[in-house]
Amino acid sequence: IVHCTIPLSLLEFCKRLTRISPSGNQQGNIRIPGDNPIRHTEQDVLQRAEVAEKFARQVCRLDTSEGAVVGVFGPWGSGKTSFIHLARKVFEHEEVPVLDFNPWLFSGAEQLVERFITELSTELKLMDLENIGEALLEYSDLFSGSLGTIVKISGKYYQRREGGIQQKHEKVAAVLREREKPIIVILDDVDRLSAPEIREIFKLVRLTASFPNLVYIVCCDRQRVEQALGEETAGLSGRDYLEKIIQLPFELPEVPEHLLAKELHGAISDSLAGVEDSGPMDEGEWPIIFDEIIRPLVRNMRDVRRYAITIRHTLDDLDGQVARNDVLALEAVRLFLPGMFRRLPRAIETLTMPGWFIHEQHEELELVHDPKPMVQINKWIKSQVEAVVKAADDSDRNVTRDVTRDVADAVVDRLFPAGEHLFHAGTDENHVPETENDKERLDRRRVAHEHIFRLYLERVMPPNLQGNRHADHVISLMGNREGLKEYIYSLKSPVWYGLIHNLDLSGRRFSNKDLENLVIVLLGRWSKMPNQMADWILLDRTRTGIQRVIQQILDHTENSEERNYMVSRILDVLNSLSSRLILVELLKRLDTPGSGVVPEWDLEESENMLCNDIVAASSENLADECDLLRVLYYAKRYAADDAYHTDISVSELTITVLLSALLGKRSSVFLAGFPIEIHPDLDWDGLVKLYGNSQHLQQRISDLKVSIDDLAPWIERRIPFEDFQKIIGLADQYLEKDQPDEAGT
């Protein structure tokens, strides 16, 4: 069964396996190798046919006058059943009857014992060996339940049953002794049974192995069987017990390294062949990924088949959204080192931490905590990555701990450069390590980028990753303002924020008209975003992101006259005062002597026009502004003293001002054991400056509280009412502290 990491309906599962065409014909079927033993020599890719034939001839030459037990030993998945199938060719040629008994088809020790002799007797009858079958059935009647509880009855009872166990045993032996050739009974999959069942099977073999011309071939994992047969409390060694039963032990030969590697390569190629988009691949990295991560974990052909099935499903499901090298490596970890794979989601941030984030947190922590925070950060990161690597030791596979640890180290080194750099960073130095460009990881769809890694693990596209896809589409629509507007305005808040974060115009060529369209639509959409407490951090980052995009646009337009003309057209089109303020303030910061960004008289005129429009705006229009606090404070600061007369006592304006005063107070983001959080706060200083002093501000808030129930419908159209009550609560906390008013501190 294909291992699915996400739920699939049965119909969808079947569709993925067969790809049935609409007409009902099975066209383009997916060739998924089954985990089935081979039956013919032409299927012998491991070149074991000759060894199997020699083994069969050796079995046929055994002295079976008192029976024999042959053991074919090999770990699970090593090809024991396939090996026996190859040996049958000799048994058939020698006309030696072969009976199969698979104990895995029966459950419970009692059923195993009863069914074994019944099945054996029935098979003998079908092979025209009815006399032997009848004798075995009579022999089996003497047993009730498991062999450990042979019925103990008196000698008189044996006499009534025409003799006891010994007499019945001799009758079976006499019939078998008349045969010229032995009968081979194959017991396969013994190691799949429970320990009590394994013990019962071997008691059964031991009890019947002395029959002449009866040869048992027991196929099993030696280690598993020895553990089941051993009884530590009784001081009984499972190995000694097994050696007393098995006369001819045969260890299955190891799979030649070059053949297994060849089959693994072929299985991967076959799995990739039918996938429409298997993702980008770094051909230079692939040999290293294969040799250091995948190949060491694959022990046998069963592993090859399981791995081929797994990667086929996963690549088909991801639809090319994750780099192929990374998928192939991580699928090997998921399948063969499940302990390590389970640990990966808990270390996403550590393994994918971009360099800019480390620098940002380094600066924050220097302000809040230790002046050398990287010492603590490096120790914390090292412990997180070390936990992932150590989790690889939790493997029950027949590979050494050194191999699993080497593979785990390679996973970190090859797939997660950030984790590798941070893991090996010195813990005794205040050093901020440099890591691979975060944007490059995203473009290459590497799991080293957090959003790509989450997509692989969760199979749900993160909002920021959706933003990257949307950003590409936005760039394709820049020449059509209406189409661009329709598309951008249709995006929900998280995707919109992700789009701004991922919108990168560097390295591309655009016309001035394209750039103008983009600025107008972006600023227009931002000014209409609904306010929500859950989005306040993203809203602030979006403003920063828009400023970054505009900066790129201004840098992109090399001709100063064309740039100035474009800016003037944008300002003429924008209706939102908040949007115009962003553009004017950005231009003002860029207007350094000799920069040529915008002539001084143009900038001054733009500022005056903005101030006049703010002063002239009605309270109704101002209440629709998304950044009213900054808009009103800008007018108060730059408008003529006799011109600024906006009545900010209107409750609707108080509401909008409070909404635009949300900001983040950093006590930090949890990192390296530091209890750092970012939580909502108010720009109290800005509010006090706008209203003149805290008494005036307190009065406006008090007036608002009186009419807040009547204003609830108006508030609900802008922000959930419960969220606004939280903002009022934040304001009350400041008012209770009786903040200094005139100084504005």
Side-chain angles (χ1 to χ4, degrees), residues 649 651 698-708 711:
S649 65
S651 293
Q698 183 175 15
Q699 184 60 50
R700 299 287 77 76
I701 294 175
S702 298
D703 294 344
L704 173 59
K705 289 180 179 179
V706 173
S707 57
I708 194 168
L711 290 169

Side-chain angles (χ1 to χ4, degrees), residues 106-241:
F106 307 101
S107 61
E110 292 186 11
Q111 190 181 39
L112 277 172
V113 173
E114 294 171 2
R115 293 300 299 174
F116 171 75
I117 296 182
T118 302
E119 290 288 321
L120 185 59
S121 302
T122 302
E123 289 294 324
L124 288 168
K125 289 180 180 180
L126 292 175
M127 299 171 67
D128 295 328
L129 300 173
E130 187 170 350
N131 56 338
I132 301 176
E134 289 292 344
L136 275 174
L137 280 177
E138 290 182 18
Y139 181 65
S140 68
D141 285 343
L142 295 176
F143 301 100
S144 174
S146 68
L147 290 177
T149 57
I150 297 177
V151 177
K152 297 179 180 179
I153 49 181
S154 66
K156 291 182 179 180
Y157 181 78
Y158 283 123
Q159 293 174 2
R160 288 199 300 269
R161 296 289 302 274
E162 300 179 1
I165 292 178
Q166 187 61 35
Q167 184 176 346
K168 297 293 184 183
H169 185 279
E170 287 297 333
K171 183 177 180 179
V172 175
V175 176
L176 285 169
R177 198 174 291 116
E178 295 176 358
R179 288 189 52 77
E180 294 182 1
K181 295 184 178 182
I183 298 172
I184 294 177
V185 180
I186 297 176
L187 291 173
D188 200 0
D189 289 332
V190 173
D191 44 20
R192 295 176 182 264
L193 302 173
S194 66
E197 291 169 342
I198 290 175
R199 287 194 288 269
E200 290 298 329
I201 280 291
F202 275 91
K203 286 179 183 178
L204 173 65
V205 171
R206 185 177 183 184
L207 185 66
T208 59
S210 60
F211 285 131
N213 286 323
L214 189 60
V215 179
Y216 287 100
I217 298 180
V218 183
C219 305
C220 60
D221 180 339
R222 177 194 285 272
Q223 183 178 0
R224 163 74 176 139
V225 170
E226 288 178 353
Q227 290 174 348
L229 295 178
E231 296 180 8
E232 294 183 5
T233 56
L236 179 63
S237 165
R239 177 166 298 180
D240 292 342
Y241 190 101

Side-chain angles (χ1 to χ4, degrees), residues 113-396:
V113 173
E114 294 171 2
R115 293 300 299 174
F116 171 75
I117 296 182
T118 302
E119 290 288 321
L120 185 59
S121 302
T122 302
E123 289 294 324
L124 288 168
K125 289 180 180 180
L126 292 175
M127 299 171 67
D128 295 328
L129 300 173
E130 187 170 350
N131 56 338
I132 301 176
E134 289 292 344
L136 275 174
L137 280 177
E138 290 182 18
Y139 181 65
S140 68
D141 285 343
L142 295 176
F143 301 100
S144 174
S146 68
L147 290 177
T149 57
I150 297 177
V151 177
K152 297 179 180 179
I153 49 181
S154 66
K156 291 182 179 180
Y157 181 78
Y158 283 123
Q159 293 174 2
R160 288 199 300 269
R161 296 289 302 274
E162 300 179 1
I165 292 178
Q166 187 61 35
Q167 184 176 346
K168 297 293 184 183
H169 185 279
E170 287 297 333
K171 183 177 180 179
V172 175
V175 176
L176 285 169
R177 198 174 291 116
E178 295 176 358
R179 288 189 52 77
E180 294 182 1
K181 295 184 178 182
I183 298 172
I184 294 177
V185 180
I186 297 176
L187 291 173
D188 200 0
D189 289 332
V190 173
D191 44 20
R192 295 176 182 264
L193 302 173
S194 66
E197 291 169 342
I198 290 175
R199 287 194 288 269
E200 290 298 329
I201 280 291
F202 275 91
K203 286 179 183 178
L204 173 65
V205 171
R206 185 177 183 184
L207 185 66
T208 59
S210 60
F211 285 131
N213 286 323
L214 189 60
V215 179
Y216 287 100
I217 298 180
V218 183
C219 305
C220 60
D221 180 339
R222 177 194 285 272
Q223 183 178 0
R224 163 74 176 139
V225 170
E226 288 178 353
Q227 290 174 348
L229 295 178
E231 296 180 8
E232 294 183 5
T233 56
L236 179 63
S237 165
R239 177 166 298 180
D240 292 342
Y241 190 101
L242 188 62
E243 289 177 352
K244 287 184 178 181
I245 298 176
I246 303 293
Q247 284 87 50
L248 176 61
F250 180 84
E251 298 289 344
L252 207 63
E254 290 290 326
V255 179
E257 177 69 25
H258 70 283
L259 289 179
L260 190 60
K262 177 183 176 182
E263 290 302 311
L264 181 55
H265 271 298
I268 293 173
S269 298
D270 290 344
S271 293
L272 295 176
V275 179
E276 293 182 8
D277 186 356
S278 57
M281 185 172 189
D282 188 328
E283 297 292 346
E285 275 190 351
W286 169 240
I288 301 174
I289 294 291
F290 181 85
D291 290 339
E292 294 186 1
I293 298 175
I294 301 171
R295 175 61 196 92
L297 296 177
V298 176
R299 305 165 305 166
N300 50 56
M301 287 302 296
R302 174 172 294 163
D303 287 350
V304 171
R305 297 185 184 110
R306 291 175 62 208
Y307 180 67
I309 293 172
T310 299
I311 62 173
R312 174 57 193 256
H313 162 71
T314 302
L315 288 169
D316 199 39
D317 191 48
L318 290 171
D319 197 24
Q321 298 178 99
V322 182
R324 191 190 317 166
N325 284 357
D326 293 353
V327 175
L328 296 179
L330 287 173
E331 286 301 286
V333 174
R334 181 171 69 82
L335 195 60
F336 303 124
L337 295 178
M340 179 181 182
F341 190 83
R342 287 192 297 268
R343 183 79 190 191
L344 288 175
R346 297 162 61 181
I348 292 177
E349 291 82 1
T350 306
L351 293 172
T352 62
M353 194 174 294
W356 63 263
F357 184 77
I358 290 289
H359 282 275
E360 181 181 280
Q361 295 305 311
H362 176 261
E363 293 173 0
E364 291 290 338
L365 293 171
E366 279 188 324
L367 296 174
V368 180
H369 295 287
D370 194 322
K372 292 186 177 182
M374 283 309 300
V375 173
Q376 294 298 323
I377 292 176
N378 286 336
K379 287 181 179 179
W380 176 76
I381 290 172
K382 196 176 186 69
S383 68
Q384 296 293 304
V385 180
E386 180 65 24
V388 172
V389 174
K390 284 184 177 179
D393 295 339
D394 183 23
S395 172
D396 59 357

Side-chain angles (χ1 to χ4, degrees), residues 683-715:
D683 181 6
W684 192 255
D685 289 348
L687 289 170
V688 171
K689 290 177 181 178
L690 175 64
Y691 285 89
N693 54 60
S694 59
Q695 282 77 20
H696 289 162
L697 175 56
Q698 183 175 15
Q699 184 60 50
R700 299 287 77 76
I701 294 175
S702 298
D703 294 344
L704 173 59
K705 289 180 179 179
V706 173
S707 57
I708 194 168
D709 290 337
D710 295 333
L711 290 169
W714 190 89
I715 295 172

